[in-house]
Amino acid sequence: MPSTAAPAPPRVRWLLARFSHTGLVFAALFYIIANTPSLLPRPWWMQGLVAALSGVCGYVLGLALGRLAHATARWLGLHVTMNPRRRVLLAASASRSRP
């Protein structure tokens, strides 16, 4: 079944391309963890502040780990390549909508 989702506008793609993918993944994980139930009663604004600060800390940690991994790979002389046919299959499977 073909995907009915419209592609992101160029401005959105440009904005997302500026962020670290590893940092965004860590930020999302830290944000989710910050919103798990807690035994500490907090007002809504305090919970929002805790979640925002956790997301920022997660982004910084992910950014640092991503850059460290990139520098280590460059130092070791590692170069990752992907077969073009597998790249197309990977992109097709990632963009496929699931019911």
Side-chain angles (χ1 to χ4, degrees):
M1 175 185 291
S3 175
T4 58
R11 193 170 94 186
V12 172
R13 281 183 279 161
W14 175 79
L15 182 64
L16 288 177
R18 295 180 64 194
F19 289 107
S20 162
H21 298 295
T22 311
L24 289 176
V25 168
F26 272 79
L29 289 175
F30 275 49
Y31 178 79
I32 291 169
I33 291 170
N35 282 312
T36 56
S38 170
L39 294 177
L40 297 173
R42 298 183 194 130
W44 65 268
W45 59 269
M46 180 66 77
Q47 181 60 38
L49 183 65
V50 167
L53 289 175
S54 295
V56 169
C57 291
Y59 182 80
V60 170
L61 179 66
L63 180 66
L65 289 176
R67 287 191 178 180
L68 178 68
H70 184 70
T72 303
R74 191 177 333 157
W75 181 68
L76 293 173
L78 297 177
H79 182 71
V80 178
T81 58
M82 184 181 281
N83 185 341
R85 188 202 251 146
R86 287 192 180 177
R87 184 179 300 153
V88 170
L89 290 174
L90 182 64
S93 67
S95 65
R96 187 175 186 190
S97 64
R98 304 206 187 256

